[in-house]
Amino acid sequence: MGNCALSSIGMIFEVSSTEPATQDPAGFAALTYTKVGVLLTFPVVGGTADITSSDPLETGQRCKSQGVIDWGQLPLESLYVEGDAGLEIMHQGLNGTFKGQDMAYKGTYPNGAIRYYRGFVSASTETVGSASDNIMSGVQVEINYEPIRVAAP
């Protein structure tokens, strides 16, 4: 692909209702995934660290250090498609069969690179909108662990 930017066209997002046995590429790859229908957007993903600080009287210089890391959320938006098995698994993560449990998620980029995520569903919505809108389905996943990056083949 040279030095050209990688388009997001062709990204595939999948969910597994189970957690990986190990938090590494092999643990995630061993799971069975179900494709999530018509995903429209994929959010910014990554960690953010809290900053802790103290102000010593002797020096008057603020001393900062890294606190806990929050791996963020996956606020996903897709078209509502009746019978979409991937969306149904994710919706069941809020208040159904998989309520409150971490599940595994797999994002495959068009070049074959993979991103694995692990977290629980914290929101599940549908939006009808106006006469000119498509019915939308929304799910938010709270990421509990550092995402696993697998390079393109």
Side-chain angles (χ1 to χ4, degrees):
M1 296 189 87
N3 292 326
C4 291
L6 180 62
S7 171
S8 57
I9 296 172
M11 177 165 179
I12 298 170
F13 190 74
E14 301 168 283
V15 59
S16 175
S17 61
T18 57
E19 297 180 65
T22 55
Q23 185 68 19
D24 59 18
F28 280 93
L31 299 175
T32 300
Y33 292 89
T34 302
K35 183 178 177 289
V36 175
V38 187
L39 192 64
L40 299 179
T41 61
F42 197 80
V44 173
V45 178
T48 303
D50 287 343
I51 304 299
T52 62
S53 65
S54 57
D55 300 329
L57 292 174
E58 182 179 345
T59 64
Q61 301 294 313
R62 178 162 290 154
C63 178
K64 296 180 185 180
S65 58
Q66 180 175 317
V68 299
I69 297 174
D70 181 344
W71 292 107
Q73 300 84 26
L74 291 174
L76 303 170
E77 182 179 49
S78 68
L79 293 177
Y80 171 81
V81 177
E82 188 71 33
D84 183 324
L87 275 177
E88 184 57 29
I89 290 169
M90 293 181 72
H91 289 305
Q92 288 293 317
L94 181 66
N95 197 31
T97 306
F98 311 114
K99 178 181 178 179
Q101 82 180 43
D102 274 5
M103 294 190 282
Y105 306 89
K106 177 182 178 183
T108 304
Y109 290 176
N111 67 352
I114 296 172
R115 300 296 183 263
Y116 291 114
Y117 309 94
R118 183 174 171 182
F120 66 94
V121 175
S122 64
S124 172
T125 62
E126 288 183 3
T127 304
V128 174
S130 71
S132 297
D133 294 328
N134 291 312
I135 298 176
M136 304 301 293
S137 184
V139 177
Q140 179 156 307
V141 175
E142 302 295 326
I143 303 172
N144 275 331
Y145 299 87
E146 181 176 5
I148 303 295
R149 300 166 63 100
V150 178

